[in-house]
Amino acid sequence: VVTLPGNGNFSGSVDGATGHLDIIITEDIAEQITFDTGLAARQVPDSYDCEDDGCTSPGYAGADDKADLAVHMAIGNVVIR
């Protein structure tokens, strides 16, 4: 489980080979996530705009507090909540 800070601007990456990864993001921060997931499944909230290997939360473009994440997981499950 990875819990992101509730405010500020930051970028980061999470790397894993196999397993289950939960990333918890508060509603106070907007995020843009790039996935490199091989055979891993990904689950994101329905409100996210997803294309190809990336997802963006609502309001990202105009948000004061933003997170830019890269998630690398070969096999398993990635859940954004």
Side-chain angles (χ1 to χ4, degrees):
V1 175
V2 175
T3 303
L4 300 182
N7 61 5
N9 291 296
F10 57 92
S11 62
S13 66
V14 180
D15 299 303
T18 62
H20 180 88
L21 173 63
D22 285 316
I23 300 177
I24 300 171
I25 303 171
T26 69
E27 293 181 13
D28 298 329
I29 196 161
E31 59 278 344
Q32 180 171 290
I33 306 167
T34 303
F35 292 97
D36 176 16
T37 51
L39 298 176
R42 65 181 187 204
Q43 297 173 350
V44 299
D46 291 336
S47 60
Y48 281 40
D49 181 26
C50 297
E51 294 182 18
D52 299 322
D53 292 330
C55 294
T56 304
S57 67
Y60 177 83
D64 291 329
D65 297 313
K66 296 181 180 181
D68 292 308
L69 301 175
V71 177
H72 309 276
M73 178 74 77
I75 300 170
N77 194 34
V78 178
V79 178
I80 308 295
R81 13 183 201 143

